[in-house]
Amino acid sequence: MFTERVNFLQKAVIFHPLEATFLVLQRRKEDAARASEWDLPGGNVMFGEIHLDAIQREIREETSLVVTDLQIVQVATGFNQERQLYHLFMGYSCKAENVAVRLSEHEACRWVTKQEAQGLFSGYLLELINAV
């Protein structure tokens, strides 16, 4: 059983309600991790929190958006030997009910196509984008 040293991270590809685009967020230049890089809405699941509640909470906190059609698209795990940290990642696809984004934790946002996202992302986030 593992109950310690686990990072449970979730991200969502939020599609525009009318266009073939999705929302990306730019991290703040002061962020300790991945400063100024583009990101997808989401974050960590808190201990005791239900994963679906957590992703909806993160989306509301970061963007103020309400989403529908929330579907799990990707699940991945990994282990960082150096940090002795187990990672669980869940990626979602969903649709925004509106486009009135209000940022709380990020520098900027924009709606992009999958093609535009290819130059903004790499790794597990690009895998998620390509899976939707």
Side-chain angles (χ1 to χ4, degrees), residues 33-86:
R34 299 178 40 239
S36 298
E37 290 186 21
W38 289 96
D39 202 356
L40 295 173
N44 290 308
V45 177
M46 302 300 179
F47 183 79
E49 192 174 26
I50 303 299
H51 69 284
L52 289 173
D53 294 340
I55 190 63
Q56 291 173 337
R57 173 187 54 77
E58 286 285 352
I59 290 168
R60 275 191 315 275
E61 285 176 3
E62 293 180 359
T63 69
S64 76
L65 292 175
V66 174
V67 298
T68 59
D69 302 323
L70 196 60
Q71 297 177 22
I72 297 172
V73 175
Q74 182 183 33
V75 177
T77 61
F79 183 70
N80 183 314
Q81 185 71 33
E82 181 180 314
R83 295 178 58 202
Q84 291 291 293
L85 184 64
Y86 182 77

Side-chain angles (χ1 to χ4, degrees), residues 3 5 29 36 39 66-67 70 86 100 103 115 127 129:
T3 55
R5 310 291 304 152
K29 59 185 168 222
S36 298
D39 202 356
V66 174
V67 298
L70 196 60
Y86 182 77
L103 298 177
Q115 183 177 12
E127 289 175 20
I129 291 164

